[in-house]
Structures are given as C-alpha cells and as structure tokens.
Amino acid sequence: MLFLSRTLKTTAVSPHMPRRAELQGVANDFVHWFLSRNNDAGGYWAVGKLRLLCEQNDFKSLNLKIWPLAMHPSAESTSNWAQSYSQVLSAFLAGHRFPKTWLVFGSLALEFEPMSGMRAIGSSEAGTRFQLTLELVTDVGKKYIASGVGNCLPHNPNLERRSLFSALRQLPTEQMEQPGFRPTANIQPMKIGPRYLHKSRSFSGSMEETAALSESLASAPGLLSIEAIEKHHKGGNLATLEVDGSCLDDFLKYMDSQGWIDAF
C-alpha cells in the first residue's frame, strides 16, 4: 500500500539538540496529516479505504502497530497499512531530528461510528464520525498520545475523484529521511485553465483528441488533479487543472515536449 503525501521540497530547520518531549510534536503532526486528504492511498483518501476494510471484516475498530519500522509486509490484511504508516512516521521523526533509537513502540487505533451514528462536530466531510488515537513510547517509558476526529464514508471509487498525482512517488527514500522533511508541507496548489491544441498531430474526432490530452496530463510532473476537460468552441480542449506552483515550469516544459500548446 503506497501512501502519497503531496510534498515536493524539504524545509531546512536550525540545528538543535533534540529532547524526548519533542515526540509530542511528532505525534501531533502525524495525526494532523492522517486526518487530511494528504493521507492518500492509491489516489483516494486512505481513511475511507480503512473504513471499508473494517466493514468488510465486521470490525468496529482497527489497531495497527506501526513501530518498530515494518520493513516487509506479512500475510495479514492490515500488514501493508502498518508498513506504510511506519514509513510515514519514520519521515516525521527525521523531520523533527528525533533519534529513532529513542522510540521503542508506536501504534494507532481507529474507531468508526456505524453509518447511522453520530457525526463529528467541525468536520465538513460526508459520513459519520471516526476517531484516531496515536500512541508513541520512548526508550525511557514515557508515553505521548495524540488524537483527532473526523467524518468519512466507506471508500467508493464511483463516488470519489481519484488524484492523478502524488509527489511522494517522485521522492527517493533518502530525501524523505532528510532533516526538515514534512509530508504535509510546501505544496503550492494553483488553478490553471489552459486551452490545449496539438502542434503537429491531427485527430479523427474530439474524443480521440481528448483521450490523447488526458494521457499526456496523467504523466505530467506537478499535476495535482484534473477537474475538467471540455471541448472549446474555438478548437482544442479547455482544461481546468490544479498543479503544484513550485513545479509549474516543469509542467509547462513537459506539456510542450508532448506537443501541446496553450492557445490562450
């Protein structure tokens, strides 16, 4: 299971001597990330997928041991999830300059209300309430706990829009481990609306042209989502896109290399 956190740059932090109490900050950051849409699994919100997993197995709650770091998945249905979340936690530890030898145990627990149950106050997401609790334990036995709540529905690909880009796919593991890395930081989302025409190809119809454009966009660096592609009355396709502003130059160069020009 690959989790896709939308981050492209690292943030430098000033050198300092870490303290074990900073593990509370690690826990808080992890929970904030987990509740957000950056907690992405295969292009969909991971919380919805976890809710579906629980319903399929008649679970009311889910407990995952995520530390020590799980290097290889096992045969258990939740193993890939635990492995992926342990890797995310490892990145947060590195970002806080927290020595991994100081952390001896980590677990997360998810509890889901039935679909007829209560909603979490303050969350605009559809569905009913869930609660996440993360527990981290240091080598001296001190526990640090963070929790959060939200609302979600079970994963349904027919009702959800799939993300076509996740920056973590582009990051080597060693970059994730650099001090200052934050899985949730530094994305610069921006909306653009180019009208694309191809410089050299001719198409038999608008459907073929739209399909070719969609294929090129799917591999474009910095693309966060495709909101719409519509035929333009002057020719070509009007695309409504969300891209990472820090990768805009790379995105434009890539589309040009694919033969697409912005006619506006």
Side-chain angles (χ1 to χ4, degrees):
M1 188 70 61
L2 177 63
F3 292 87
L4 308 173
S5 293
R6 300 179 177 127
T7 308
L8 294 172
K9 299 188 296 184
T10 59
T11 302
V13 296
S14 58
H16 67 285
M17 292 297 292
R19 297 178 298 117
R20 285 173 175 80
E22 292 178 23
L23 194 57
Q24 186 64 60
V26 174
N28 293 340
D29 281 356
F30 185 98
V31 168
H32 183 269
W33 169 83
F34 189 98
L35 298 176
S36 77
R37 288 285 176 167
N38 290 317
N39 181 10
D40 180 291
Y44 298 102
W45 193 28
V47 178
K49 285 196 167 187
L50 288 167
R51 177 162 210 148
L52 178 62
L53 175 67
C54 286
E55 290 190 356
Q56 291 173 335
N57 291 276
D58 199 26
F59 298 155
K60 294 182 179 179
S61 62
L62 183 66
N63 291 276
L64 299 176
K65 177 185 175 183
I66 62 173
W67 199 268
L69 185 65
M71 299 304 296
H72 302 287
S74 68
E76 296 182 16
S77 62
T78 58
S79 175
N80 282 335
W81 293 95
Q83 181 192 22
S84 296
Y85 283 130
S86 68
Q87 292 169 351
V88 172
L89 178 58
S90 179
F92 275 115
L93 292 170
H96 280 263
R97 295 179 178 265
F98 192 91
K100 296 177 183 178
T101 55
W102 289 1
L103 180 63
V104 297
F105 178 80
S107 68
L108 64 83
L110 271 170
E111 296 184 9
F112 293 101
E113 287 276 348
M115 288 307 296
S116 59
M118 299 172 55
R119 284 179 49 81
I121 297 174
S123 173
S124 61
E125 299 288 348
T128 53
R129 186 179 185 273
F130 70 91
Q131 178 169 323
L132 166 73
T133 302
L134 175 70
E135 179 180 310
L136 303 176
V137 183
T138 70
D139 56 336
V140 295
K142 177 69 173 178
K143 291 183 180 180
Y144 294 91
I145 297 173
S147 63
V149 297
N151 297 312
C152 75
L153 292 168
H155 168 61
N156 184 340
N158 296 322
L159 300 177
E160 298 177 57
R161 178 183 296 165
R162 187 176 189 182
S163 170
L164 297 180
F165 173 81
S166 294
L168 204 55
R169 283 178 177 165
Q170 314 298 327
L171 291 177
T173 301
E174 57 269 22
Q175 185 171 344
M176 292 172 57
E177 297 289 340
Q178 290 297 313
F181 174 78
R182 295 289 192 276
T184 57
N186 301 319
I187 194 76
Q188 299 175 24
M190 62 181 296
K191 295 286 184 68
I192 60 174
R195 178 166 70 95
Y196 281 121
L197 294 169
H198 204 276
K199 293 185 285 187
S200 58
R201 288 182 62 181
S202 58
F203 301 96
S204 60
S206 60
M207 292 183 63
E208 181 183 359
E209 183 179 10
T210 300
L213 175 58
S214 298
E215 183 178 355
S216 294
L217 285 169
S219 301
L223 180 69
L224 300 176
S225 66
I226 300 174
E227 296 191 3
I229 299 178
E230 303 170 318
K231 188 67 179 176
H232 196 273
H233 67 279
K234 292 184 178 180
N237 286 284
L238 178 64
T240 305
L241 311 172
E242 186 176 45
V243 300
D244 182 358
S246 65
C247 294
L248 183 60
D249 287 343
D250 290 337
F251 173 84
L252 297 175
K253 290 176 182 177
Y254 172 83
M255 293 303 292
D256 183 72
S257 72
Q258 297 293 302
W260 298 100
I261 59 172
D262 183 357
F264 280 134

